[in-house]
C-alpha cells in the first residue's frame, strides 16, 4: 500500500495512478479516496497523474482521536504533497474535501498549486450565524451527530438517499452505489465520523478563499440536499478572485457518481483551458 507517516505519526493511505500533471483529490465526509475513482480513472487514462488520499480517520488511513479538524487535514495534505514532491498540481475537493483544499491554500499557499476545483464544497461556512443567515441551523448538525452516535450503520444507509438524490420522485436508484457509500462510510472510524461534523459545519473558510490566486472552478448541483448551493458555491464563487461557477441542473451532492460524465467533462475542459 502507498502510505506516508505524518509528523504526528499518523499513517495516510493514498492512490497514485497514471503519469503527467498531478491532479490531487480530497474526498468528502464520511467517504474515502474511492469516491473519486470515476474521475481518477478518466483522467489517468488521458495523460494525468491522479492522486487521492484517505483523510485521517477515514478509509485505510490511521484512525486518530486527535486531529479531526480542517487545520490538521490541510497539514496532512501538505505533507503528502511534499512527500511526493508534487508541483504544478491541480487540487480537486468535494464537500469537506473542498474545505480541506481551501484551508490548504490558506495555510500553505499556492507555490505547488496551478489550479483548484471545488465540487459540492462546504466553503465558505455551512453553519447559520448572524453573519451567515443562509447557513443551516446547528440543529441540523446536532441531528447528524445523534445519528452517528445512535446507529452509524443504519444512519449511513439512510444518508445515502439524499446524498445521491435517490429520495427524489422518479429517481433511478442504484443499490450498488448505496452499498459502496455504506462500505466507505463504515471504514471511517467513530471519532472521525463524529468529530468531522463540527469541522465541516463550523469552520469559517472565508479568509482562506480570499487567498486563492490560481484559476478556480466552482462546480455545484442545484439540487444538493447536503451542502445547499445558496450557502456555498453561490457565495464562494464571489469571494474567490476570478472563479468560474458552473451549476449542474438537477445534480445532487454525490454528483461525482450520479453525473460522472458531466463532472469529468467539466474537469477535462478546466484542466486543458
Amino acid at each position: 500500500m502507498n502510505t506516508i507517516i505524518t509528523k504526528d505519526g499518523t499513517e495516510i493511505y493514498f492512490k497514485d495512478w497514471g503519469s503527467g500533471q498531478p491532479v490531487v483529490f480530497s474526498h468528502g465526509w464520511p467517504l474515502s479516496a474511492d469516491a473519486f475513482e470515476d474521475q481518477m480513472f478518466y483522467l489517468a487514462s488521458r495523460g494525468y497523474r491522479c492522486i487521492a488520499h484517505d483523510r485521517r480517520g477515514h478509509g485505510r488511513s490511521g484512525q486518530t482521536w486527535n486531529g479531526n479538524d480542517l487545520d490538521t487535514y490541510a497539514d496532512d495534505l501538505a505533507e503528502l504533497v511534499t512527500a511526493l514532491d508534487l508541483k504544478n498540481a491541480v487540487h480537486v475537493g468535494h464537500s469537506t474535501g473542498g474545505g480541506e483544499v481551501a484551508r490548504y491554500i490558506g495555510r500553505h499557499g499556492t507555490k505547488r498549486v496551478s489550479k483548484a476545483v471545488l465540487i459540492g464544497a462546504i466553503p465558505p461556512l455551512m453553519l447559520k450565524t448572524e453573519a451567515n443567515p443562509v447557513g443551516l441551523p446547528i440543529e441540523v448538525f446536532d441531528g447528524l451527530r445523534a445519528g452517528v452516535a445512535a446507529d452509524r450503520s443504519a444512519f449511513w444507509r439512510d444518508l445515502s438517499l439524499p446524498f445521491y438524490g435517490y429520495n427524489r420522485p422518479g429517481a433511478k436508484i442504484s443499490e450498488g452505489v448505496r452499498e459502496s457509500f455504506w462500505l466507505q462510510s463504515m471504514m471511517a472510524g467513530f471519532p472521525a465520523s463524529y468529530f468531522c461534523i463540527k469541522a465541516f459545519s463550523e469552520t469559517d473558510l472565508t479568509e482562506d478563499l480570499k487567498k486563492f490566486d490560481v484559476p478556480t472552478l466552482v462546480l455545484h448541483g442545484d439540487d444538493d440536499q447536503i451542502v445547499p448551493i445558496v450557502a456555498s458555491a453561490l457565495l464562494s464563487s464571489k469571494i474567490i478572485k476570478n472563479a468560474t461557477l458552473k451549476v449542474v441542473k438537477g445534480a445532487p451532492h454525490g454528483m461525482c457518481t450520479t453525473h460522472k460524465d458531466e463532472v469529468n467533462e467539466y474537469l477535462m475542459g478546466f484542466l486543458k483551458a
Side-chain angles (χ1 to χ4, degrees), residues 224-241:
D224 191 323
Q225 300 170 66
I226 308 298
V227 181
I229 191 171
V230 292
S232 53
L234 298 187
L235 299 177
S236 59
S237 60
K238 293 176 182 174
I239 297 168
I240 298 169
K241 295 186 200 76

Side-chain angles (χ1 to χ4, degrees), residues 8 17-18 26 46 53 65 71 81 86 93 100-101 104 109 112 123 145 147 160 163 173 237 242:
D8 73 348
W17 298 351
S26 293
R46 289 162 174 76
H53 64 294
W65 180 260
D71 284 357
V81 166
L86 303 180
E100 178 178 289
V101 170
Y104 166 72
R112 292 178 177 268
R145 278 183 279 266
S160 68
F163 195 97
I173 298 171
S237 60
N242 302 316

